Amino acid sequence: MKTRWLDHASVWVLVIGIGFAFACASQKTPGKDDPTVRITKLLDEWVRVHEAGGSCASGGRKYPFVDCGRIQAAIVSLGLEFPNNPEVLLVNAVIAYETHQPENAESYLDALLEQDSNEPGVAVLRSRLALDQGNLPHARRLLNDQVTLTPDAADLREALASVHYLSGDLDSARRQLLIAERLGAPTWRVAFNRGLLEEAEGNTDSAIEYYQITLDENPEYKPARSRLRGLKSEQGL
């Protein structure tokens, strides 16, 4: 079994969701009852918990002074009130994914895709769900279609690289990672995934170098530290 590719989808799509909501809000002058304003405010509350070092991922538990269950219930309620609003659907998908409700997340994402959404985060997260289900063909087809629509989206390229990696097509995975790097993907993330590719081909020294680059850029990334220590130990280093 291959080591899991760096799972960045949920965090990345969460950030994209915030930017998407704020961008839409800034393009007009909505009232306080506008769904974009309301969903942005709720998402901001949710994100503040993460920024404070906590998590609402368990759903109803209370993080200090924040009722996560209340926020999630309000977000779901907005989804019922505005079932075709893309910002509301996207945020609901992210929260469902973060709180381990894959079927709900899938439903929201499929609704967005039926609207011909070209927001890269939608395809990235939907492909993540497909990979979690072991459905590589669906993930590949979805990402290839979205890359055709938005070829300059770095995260689509990273997600497609993950599908190639899990399919055993390491050359295609390398090519997509290179494109993602050129498009601005974070250096540490690209380095970690390149380390996985080198490790898969038995190139231990190269893998060690890439994991070290990852830690130089992101010292807190524990998977890279674990793999680096393991490989060094095997080498007697």
Side-chain angles (χ1 to χ4, degrees):
M1 178 180 290
K2 288 183 179 294
T3 302
R4 180 177 284 272
W5 195 263
L6 172 55
D7 183 2
H8 64 277
S10 62
V11 175
W12 180 76
V13 177
L14 180 61
V15 173
I16 288 297
I18 300 165
F20 186 45
F22 273 108
C24 290
S26 66
Q27 291 171 6
K28 53 186 176 179
T29 307
K32 64 179 181 180
D33 293 328
D34 185 277
T36 296
V37 173
R38 292 162 66 186
I39 200 67
T40 300
K41 181 178 178 181
L42 289 166
L43 184 57
D44 187 52
E45 288 185 63
W46 188 275
V47 170
R48 279 203 299 270
V49 176
H50 289 261
E51 291 176 341
S55 173
C56 275
S58 59
R61 100 173 169 186
K62 293 182 186 242
Y63 187 70
F65 312 116
V66 179
D67 187 343
C68 297
R70 175 193 61 79
I71 301 172
Q72 186 172 3
I75 289 172
V76 171
S77 179
L78 265 182
L80 296 174
E81 187 176 351
F82 301 97
N84 298 313
N85 182 281
E87 299 100 311
V88 172
L89 286 171
L90 179 56
V91 173
N92 265 286
V94 170
I95 300 306
Y97 184 84
E98 291 281 301
T99 54
H100 313 293
Q101 302 175 68
E103 291 183 359
N104 289 340
E106 187 175 309
S107 177
Y108 290 122
L109 293 167
D110 286 345
L112 277 166
L113 290 170
E114 287 177 6
Q115 295 181 9
D116 295 324
S117 172
N118 61 358
E119 168 57 55
V122 175
V124 171
L125 186 51
R126 186 63 184 86
S127 72
R128 177 72 265 170
L129 287 166
L131 291 180
D132 288 345
Q133 297 166 354
N135 194 341
L136 285 169
H138 181 66
R140 184 185 301 108
R141 183 170 58 253
L142 172 64
L143 291 168
N144 279 328
D145 288 346
Q146 291 300 310
V147 164
T148 299
L149 293 173
T150 318
D152 63 343
D155 285 85
L156 281 177
R157 300 290 187 163
E158 287 182 272
L160 187 55
S162 74
V163 173
H164 289 312
Y165 167 76
L166 293 170
S167 301
D169 187 352
L170 303 189
D171 287 340
S172 292
R174 280 194 177 88
R175 180 173 181 275
Q176 291 301 326
L177 271 183
L178 177 60
I179 296 171
E181 183 179 40
R182 290 170 177 168
L183 290 171
T187 300
W188 69 271
R189 210 156 68 195
V190 172
F192 179 78
N193 288 331
R194 281 179 172 153
L196 292 181
L197 290 171
E198 294 300 322
E199 197 174 346
E201 290 194 328
N203 301 324
T204 302
D205 290 343
S206 293
I208 287 174
E209 289 179 13
Y210 280 123
Y211 293 144
Q212 186 59 60
I213 291 172
T214 303
L215 291 173
D216 289 343
E217 295 287 330
N218 185 358
E220 303 302 317
Y221 192 59
K222 294 180 181 179
R225 189 171 302 282
S226 175
R227 303 207 71 75
L228 182 62
R229 290 183 63 192
L231 289 180
K232 283 187 172 182
S233 296
E234 291 173 4
Q235 297 290 95
L237 300 176

